[in-house]
Amino acid sequence: ALYHVGESGQTLFITGASRGIGKAIALKAAKDGANVVIAAKTAQAHPKLPGTIYTAAEEIEALGGKALPCIVDVRDEKQIGEAVEQAVRKFGGIDILVNNASAINLTGTLETPMKKVDLMLGVNLRGTYLTSKLCIPHLLKSKNPHILNLSPPLNLNPIWFKNHTAYTMAKYGMSMCVLGMAEEFRGSIAVNALWPKTAIQTAAMEMLGGAEVGKQCRNVDIMSDAAYAILGKPRSYTGNFIIDEEILKTEGIKDFDIYAVAPGNALLPDFFLDEAEALVQNMGDQVVIPVAKGDSRSAATSGPIAETFNIIKGVLNPDIVKSTGGVYKFNLSGEHAGVWFIDMKNGGGSAGSGEPPVKADVVMTMDSADFTKMFAGKLKPTMAFMSGKLMIKGDMTLAIKMEKMMSMMKSKL
């Protein structure tokens, strides 16, 4: 790298820096003595998510950096404006902007409330555009200014739209800011995007995929190291959509096991990368079989699916029903096509073939062979979903809760 991010007291303005990847970038810069503006909304401890802007500030200062915690909703022009003014007043300017704040909701068009659509578009797209707009006048005065958006390459393969159109639109909005602003400010400000090749272990990821998903992730250090490699380059390095592993290879990193949460485990590929499909194909008995088009004939009363449901009926009890609170419908295709349900919402629970007795909260569409593997613990739902092979419509948190039942069944299958 030609520049050290923290040299001469450089100032980084990072949105969503109270935890996760944003905080990891902040802490790495702090070791170089950088000034860090923590622009995030968590001022009081969250019941499920660790860290606040104040705990992040303490960690930054403990490592030798200077911190300015600012309570900010990135959708609010007044709050962003005040945070930018405070940063310039305290540190004399802004050299680097990291647009990290993001909202996610992985549901289809009919299942996504407009409140969630507005949140994703407001935080991801509008927040990124607004924060960039208000920081740019100050970035133009810096010796080596950078904007880095944590967003994916603009991949128009429909597989990345069909299950979560609103989320994809919102994340691609961040990427389109890179495309436009890199050209608009070419020669003045470097504007780039960074995206991970694999899933990254963060509190948000655990909320989406459960605690077990962490074993298939890399840690946040790979993203902070990759960000550092980008931010150390001259302003002429602009308009790039960078994958973390690829830039670190050019920096001489060869052993990526150092970033694995559980070295040796199959890694969960991240969204929006077509090579993710190829990655999934090489995962042994975790391989995802593409969903085949089957007919909708009623399910058989014998065979692997019927046997699986007999076991499901055996493990259902009032405690599981109480802790889950959802009705599941499975549209299975392939060799053992049919419709099945699990009711973990009413009474002591029930399961069987055909339509559920009440409206399903979650509808899962997949190949019958994958269903059998999933309940045998050989295929993780998160792996199937993130590779685009499993369709989930409805409440994603209920889809995750179902993994608890699968772990109970694993010993019986």
Side-chain angles (χ1 to χ4, degrees):
L2 299 180
Y3 299 86
H4 288 290
V5 173
E7 73 175 9
S8 307
Q10 281 204 71
T11 299
L12 290 83
F13 191 106
I14 307 177
T15 65
S18 59
R19 62 179 66 94
I21 294 167
K23 190 179 86 168
I25 294 170
L27 295 179
K28 190 165 179 70
K31 290 175 186 174
D32 265 358
N35 308 316
V36 183
V37 183
I38 307 155
K41 60 180 170 56
T42 308
Q44 295 180 327
H46 189 283
K48 294 183 181 177
L49 300 171
T52 68
I53 56 175
Y54 305 113
T55 58
E58 287 170 9
E59 290 181 60
I60 286 164
E61 297 196 333
L63 290 172
K66 291 178 182 172
L68 173 63
C70 296
I71 303 169
V72 161
D73 179 339
V74 295
R75 296 169 293 177
D76 189 313
E77 186 171 359
K78 186 169 180 282
Q79 289 182 20
I80 290 288
E82 286 173 354
V84 169
E85 283 176 23
Q86 284 182 51
V88 173
R89 208 162 42 238
K90 179 162 184 174
F91 298 129
I94 297 171
D95 302 288
I96 291 165
L97 166 62
V98 179
N99 285 306
N100 165 70
S102 192
I104 183 169
N105 198 68
L106 299 172
T107 48
T109 302
L110 298 179
E111 292 76 34
T112 312
M114 284 312 298
K115 185 178 178 182
K116 295 283 190 184
V117 177
D118 292 340
L119 176 68
M120 289 188 284
L121 292 174
V123 172
N124 303 1
L125 192 162
R126 187 181 192 277
T128 295
Y129 185 92
L130 169 61
T131 309
S132 301
K133 177 182 172 70
L134 297 185
C135 285
I136 283 169
H138 304 287
L139 290 167
L140 288 168
K141 298 173 187 174
S142 172
K143 282 197 302 184
N144 191 46
H146 274 261
I147 296 174
L148 181 63
N149 294 354
L150 297 191
S151 65
L154 288 164
N155 183 348
L156 298 183
N157 184 337
I159 197 170
W160 303 118
F161 288 81
K162 69 174 187 176
N163 291 341
H164 39 75
T165 297
Y167 174 64
T168 299
M169 286 165 58
K171 286 308 286 189
Y172 281 16
M174 296 176 73
S175 299
M176 290 170 83
C177 286
V178 171
L179 198 65
M181 292 178 191
E183 202 58 39
E184 183 178 1
F185 297 100
R186 185 174 292 277
S188 301
I189 303 171
V191 186
N192 296 289
L194 173 63
W195 193 246
K197 183 173 183 178
T198 72
I200 302 295
Q201 186 188 40
T202 62
M205 189 67 199
E206 287 190 5
M207 283 181 72
L208 280 173
E212 282 297 302
V213 80
K215 294 175 183 176
Q216 295 175 278
C217 295
R218 284 174 171 161
N219 61 44
V220 291
D221 293 344
I222 190 168
M223 287 293 281
S224 60
D225 287 356
Y228 224 64
I230 296 163
L231 299 173
K233 293 187 182 296
R235 71 183 77 188
S236 56
Y237 184 81
T238 192
N240 302 291
F241 292 88
I242 301 142
I243 304 303
D244 56 356
E245 183 177 303
E246 291 174 9
I247 191 164
L248 290 175
K249 281 179 180 174
T250 68
E251 297 284 310
I253 303 290
K254 291 179 181 158
D255 178 14
F256 287 89
D257 278 350
I258 60 170
Y259 297 115
V261 172
N265 272 22
L267 292 168
L268 195 62
D270 208 351
F271 290 113
F272 308 119
L273 305 177
D274 282 344
E275 56 263 39
E277 292 185 69
L279 192 59
V280 171
Q281 295 305 321
N282 293 311
M283 290 187 174
D285 62 4
Q286 284 189 322
V287 67
V288 178
I289 300 168
V291 174
K293 291 182 179 177
D295 60 36
S296 59
R297 65 187 182 271
S298 60
T301 54
S302 61
I305 305 300
E307 288 169 14
T308 300
F309 271 87
N310 284 334
I311 296 167
I312 291 170
K313 289 175 188 175
V315 299
L316 284 176
N317 61 58
D319 288 338
I320 289 180
V321 172
K322 187 179 177 182
S323 65
T324 307
V327 177
Y328 300 79
K329 176 182 173 182
F330 301 90
N331 290 326
L332 303 183
S333 58
E335 187 179 354
H336 301 283
V339 176
W340 296 79
F341 75 89
I342 306 173
D343 180 352
M344 289 190 280
K345 191 176 192 176
N346 302 292
S350 61
S353 64
E355 294 287 334
V358 294
K359 186 183 176 186
D361 299 299
V362 184
V363 180
M364 305 179 82
T365 302
M366 62 194 310
D367 188 274
S368 56
D370 287 345
F371 178 88
T372 306
K373 281 186 176 185
M374 198 164 74
F375 275 87
K378 293 180 179 177
L379 171 65
K380 290 190 180 293
T382 42
M383 177 72 78
F385 177 73
M386 291 185 76
S387 65
K389 306 299 184 184
L390 163 65
M391 285 186 65
I392 299 175
K393 290 189 176 181
D395 189 334
M396 281 295 294
T397 57
L398 286 175
I400 292 158
K401 280 184 179 181
M402 196 177 66
E403 291 198 24
K404 291 180 182 176
M405 176 191 270
M406 292 176 187
S407 64
M408 290 178 66
M409 291 180 55
K410 192 173 178 182
S411 60
K412 301 190 179 190
L413 282 166

